[in-house]
Amino acid sequence: MIKYLVGSAALAVSMLAPIAQANDTAVPFVDVADSVEFNGWNQLVGSVVTGAQLAAGYGANVAGSGDAVLTRIAGTAYPAGGGLYEWGSPFSTFTLTDATVADNLTSVVFQSHSAPGGTGKGLYDVSLSYTVDGVDYLAALVDGNAQASAYKYFSWDLSDVTGIDAIKVTFSTEAHANSFAFQLDQVVAAVPEPSEYALLLAGLAFVGFAARRKQQA
């Protein structure tokens, strides 16, 4: 009986564990724990997207994405046969902009997959800004994992910021770089539902009751 009750409590605890947002943007990308919204861009080739669409703003094209937009705001990168290709200077600058921000946003994660150019950077000058009441602020980078130049992972902590109206990731691409995919995740701290709290408390109460019965016996 006690084993059964302990199992019930363990089940309640497991229901409070974070759940990753699964997606299939690109093979190197990881599923981000506690992501409540992701936006993915892949197949950035000439047969799918045009340079004019990039300049005007190209919505996320991976199933399950939100309404964020990829925009080339400067430079000459264009959709080639393999991805977004940068022929030469002036190097290109892109933004990933999302005006639908999750409540209680705690962090933002940006992932990229590219074939680096001549210097091996691929992507560089990556930053995140957020807007509160019409004013833009620059967020501090927490993780800029560039161990593998083809795959990069960036994150920013926004847990101390409230009232965010929009977020924007800005980055540049170097000459002869080829960009294959991007993904932007909004992360919110897991908040258990009241029913989950009730199940957990009930399981713990049963365990305590069974323990007392055993002591009395």
Side-chain angles (χ1 to χ4, degrees):
M1 179 66 176
I2 292 179
K3 288 184 179 179
Y4 172 77
L5 295 173
V6 170
S8 297
L11 175 61
V13 172
S14 68
M15 291 178 66
L16 306 183
I19 299 176
Q21 173 101 29
N23 63 79
D24 57 358
T25 303
V27 172
F29 290 0
V30 300
D31 291 334
V32 179
D34 297 329
S35 171
V36 295
E37 178 183 304
F38 82 93
N39 288 271
W41 294 262
N42 60 15
Q43 301 183 42
L44 299 173
V45 295
S47 59
V48 176
V49 58
T50 66
Q53 287 176 307
L54 283 178
Y58 183 59
N61 64 353
V62 176
S65 293
D67 57 357
V69 175
L70 167 67
T71 308
R72 188 191 65 205
I73 61 175
T76 59
Y78 64 95
L84 296 181
Y85 183 68
E86 180 69 68
W87 171 251
S89 61
F91 303 151
S92 295
T93 301
F94 292 86
T95 59
L96 302 178
T97 306
D98 197 342
T100 304
V101 180
D103 293 333
N104 302 315
L105 181 69
T106 57
S107 63
V108 172
V109 173
F110 168 54
Q111 300 179 76
S112 69
H113 183 211
S114 63
T119 67
K121 292 181 179 179
L123 267 66
Y124 65 99
D125 287 348
V126 179
S127 64
L128 172 74
S129 60
Y130 57 91
T131 305
V132 177
D133 294 332
V135 180
D136 293 335
Y137 301 89
L138 191 64
L141 180 66
V142 175
D143 186 358
N145 178 8
Q147 293 180 357
S149 57
Y151 166 72
K152 295 186 178 181
Y153 178 103
F154 304 87
S155 70
W156 297 266
D157 182 4
L158 298 175
S159 57
D160 293 333
V161 184
T162 59
I164 298 177
D165 301 313
I167 55 176
K168 179 173 65 178
V169 171
T170 302
F171 60 90
S172 297
T173 56
E174 64 172 339
H176 307 303
N178 209 340
S179 299
F180 307 125
F182 309 112
Q183 182 168 303
L184 186 66
D185 279 84
Q186 295 187 38
V187 179
V188 171
V191 178
E193 294 292 331
S195 59
E196 294 173 351
Y197 274 123
L199 180 58
L200 174 60
L201 292 174
L204 294 175
F206 276 124
V207 170
F209 173 76
R212 287 195 299 272
R213 289 288 300 272
K214 183 177 180 181
Q215 289 177 349
Q216 292 173 357

